[in-house]
Amino acid sequence: MHSFINDNAAYWLCVLWFALLATLFLEARAKPSSGLTLVYAAQLSVLHLPGGMLLLIPWYEYYPRIWTYVGFQMTTYGLAAFTAGALFTRIAFPVRLPALKILNPVSVKRFGAVLIAIGLGFTILTSQANFLFQIPSVTALLAAIWLLGAPGLCLYMHGYVLNGEKMPMHVYLIALAFPALTILSLGFIGFGVTYVVFILCFSLAQKYFPKKLFLLAPFVAFAALSFFVNYMQQRDGIRTAVWGDQTIGVRSDAVSLVFREFQWFDTDSFIHLRLVDDRLNQNWIVGAAVEALDSGRTEFLNGESLGLALIAWVPRVIWVNKPSVAGSGNIVAGLTGITFDSSTSVGVGHVLELYGNFGFAFAMLGMFVIGFLLRGMDRVASVYLMRNDLVMWLRWVIPGIAITNVGGQFAETISGVAAFVVLGYLLQFFITRFTRGLA
């Protein structure tokens, strides 16, 4: 049971977090990588690092600081276990340089462009055909198809690299188009950020950016945080326009307020800090659950959610009476003892779900295994990319994208992996029959 915050320890937890990110970055650059471990760490950082850094502002408190501290500490240890698992793949997955497959760079660009079009097209489709999400087993597959645009843009960039060309500016504009489209069509920015994070991490792992650009990283992070707090202040107006089926012009006007009334992030602004605390601080939820479980006020799941996750890959269209899986919000409520508003979306996250089943040691073991498996998939996928076997690269890398859903529950992760595996086989089937030179 924790009763106080060690401010010095909070500082060193932040230092350790950045050191772990640097370790994963250097490992991805040193060995074949498509950036999957970087994506996982980046997604985890988005949900936990800003909240952890709030502990360095002594006067600020909204959610109990002790919960934030305990949760940040637990998640930092989880990231350390994940990093250890990723590094262990150097022993278990030795890389052998493959025989190079000769590809026409133009064909690679076209293939990437097709995947980009599919991703963009399904983003628009999902905003106009909500009834599709009511069909059993269709939701996971639609999400998988929707995410194809991210690896598609990576392959599009790969075509330029194969041809020895300089990366054109429109590549970066396409990357930014994804979050813009998800805001205008769905009213959510998070989906588009997933695209950008994967593309950025892939580019970092593949050394597409010159080293001098890394000097801009703190400024980019500050600009991104500033954009976030401005977006959050305009979010309700944007969603009113989008969900009210307003014209593109009206939606664009609502989004433009983010830039017309732009404010740089200010650590002296309680409003800005509160916005970060609300959306980028999942630590307090983890900390509240740890405190409740350790004190005996709530009970461990003892494998219940993990058992249901093991059968999540079976489509409900096949197993009609498959047991229902409690949503993330229900799991969090049960572990923390806190009742959340029905309109509030609460994600359990991998660290909390692992801890909530069997405690600290199991959570660390689980994060180690996730790091080991994800980096193993990443290394295998990257070998295929080195060989220019793009279809097999997709078959390995896109299930890995599902694993990087760090804020969801394992049932969602497993069903997502299953959907991506099916999608990978479908892609291979059509590509090998209707194209030449890619499969």
Side-chain angles (χ1 to χ4, degrees):
M1 183 73 176
H2 297 79
S3 58
F4 68 94
I5 298 176
N6 186 328
D7 292 330
N8 192 48
Y11 167 80
W12 285 109
L13 283 174
C14 292
V15 172
L16 176 58
W17 192 288
F18 282 109
L20 292 170
L21 291 180
T23 300
L24 289 169
F25 170 75
L26 293 174
E27 198 276 335
R29 300 269 289 190
K31 298 293 181 179
S33 174
S34 296
L36 287 177
T37 52
L38 297 181
V39 175
Y40 191 97
Q43 301 276 44
L44 201 66
S45 297
V46 168
L47 294 178
H48 293 275
L49 183 57
M53 295 185 74
L54 290 177
L55 295 169
L56 305 182
I57 304 175
W59 63 266
Y60 172 78
E61 180 173 11
Y62 180 74
Y63 295 111
R65 285 171 63 86
I66 186 63
W67 286 353
T68 296
Y69 172 74
V70 171
F72 186 53
Q73 182 183 55
M74 186 64 60
T75 309
T76 303
Y77 294 159
L79 179 60
F82 173 86
T83 303
L87 294 176
F88 188 66
T89 57
R90 289 194 175 199
I91 300 173
F93 289 94
V95 174
R96 297 177 181 178
L97 293 179
L100 185 63
K101 185 176 182 180
I102 305 301
L103 288 180
N104 182 350
V106 175
S107 298
V108 176
K109 293 178 189 177
R110 288 174 179 171
F111 181 43
V114 169
L115 296 180
I116 293 170
I118 292 174
L120 291 172
F122 268 81
T123 300
I124 298 173
L125 174 65
T126 53
S127 68
Q128 302 297 321
N130 293 330
F131 69 91
L132 292 173
F133 291 94
Q134 308 303 318
I135 304 174
S137 306
V138 169
T139 301
L141 188 58
L142 284 177
I145 297 173
W146 171 79
L147 277 170
L148 277 178
L153 184 55
C154 293
L155 292 181
Y156 186 72
M157 291 190 291
H158 187 63
Y160 282 94
V161 173
L162 288 177
N163 209 32
E165 298 178 78
K166 185 178 179 180
M167 205 68 67
M169 182 58 66
H170 74 263
V171 169
Y172 307 108
L173 295 178
I174 293 173
L176 295 176
F178 287 113
L181 183 59
T182 58
I183 292 175
L184 290 172
S185 62
L186 301 173
F188 293 101
I189 192 174
F191 298 141
V193 170
T194 301
Y195 267 90
V196 174
V197 168
F198 178 80
I199 293 163
L200 177 62
C201 291
F202 174 84
S203 301
L204 290 174
Q206 292 293 311
K207 305 179 183 179
Y208 287 174
F209 296 138
K211 292 182 180 179
K212 61 183 180 182
L213 284 182
F214 298 133
L215 297 176
L216 300 176
F219 304 100
V220 173
F222 179 72
L225 192 58
S226 299
F227 174 81
F228 169 79
V229 296
N230 283 274
Y231 165 76
M232 289 299 297
Q233 291 182 86
Q234 305 296 338
R235 186 184 63 172
D236 290 343
I238 293 171
R239 290 183 174 177
T240 297
V242 174
W243 296 349
D245 292 328
Q246 298 295 323
T247 65
I248 290 295
V250 173
R251 299 181 189 189
S252 299
D253 285 341
V255 173
S256 69
L257 289 176
V258 173
F259 303 97
R260 284 188 287 164
E261 300 180 6
F262 192 85
Q263 303 171 343
W264 291 106
F265 177 71
D266 185 359
T267 55
D268 291 328
S269 170
F270 182 86
I271 294 175
H272 287 185
L273 297 178
R274 169 70 190 281
L275 290 171
V276 171
D277 217 355
D278 270 341
R279 303 302 301 177
L280 304 182
N281 180 19
Q282 294 295 298
N283 301 302
W284 77 268
I285 295 176
V286 178
V290 170
E291 294 283 87
L293 290 166
D294 290 354
S295 66
R297 288 188 288 108
T298 58
E299 296 182 355
F300 286 93
L301 297 172
N302 295 316
E304 180 182 352
S305 70
L306 299 179
L308 292 173
L310 291 176
I311 62 174
W313 64 273
V314 183
R316 190 168 293 278
V317 70
I318 295 176
W319 187 357
V320 179
N321 296 320
K322 184 174 71 172
S324 298
V325 178
S328 279
N330 292 330
I331 294 176
V332 173
L335 293 175
T336 61
I338 299 173
T339 301
F340 295 91
D341 187 272
S342 58
S343 62
T344 302
S345 176
V346 183
V348 60
H350 291 172
V351 174
L352 177 53
E353 188 170 358
L354 289 167
Y355 187 94
N357 273 278
F358 295 110
F360 177 79
F362 185 77
M364 297 304 103
L365 176 62
M367 292 298 289
F368 179 92
V369 171
I370 292 173
F372 177 76
L373 291 177
L374 189 60
R375 185 63 177 108
M377 295 172 66
D378 188 21
R379 287 168 74 90
V380 173
S382 299
V383 167
Y384 282 114
L385 185 64
M386 292 169 64
R387 184 177 179 266
N388 289 328
D389 192 336
L390 306 186
V391 177
M392 288 302 296
W393 176 77
L394 282 170
R395 280 190 52 189
W396 278 93
V397 81
I398 57 178
I401 297 176
I403 297 176
T404 64
N405 178 26
V406 300
Q409 60 190 112
F410 281 108
E412 297 171 349
T413 299
I414 297 298
S415 62
V417 170
F420 273 111
V421 169
V422 171
L423 180 60
Y425 277 106
L426 291 175
L427 284 172
Q428 185 179 31
F429 174 83
F430 286 109
I431 290 170
T432 54
R433 281 159 179 77
F434 299 108
T435 66
R436 296 180 179 180
L438 288 176

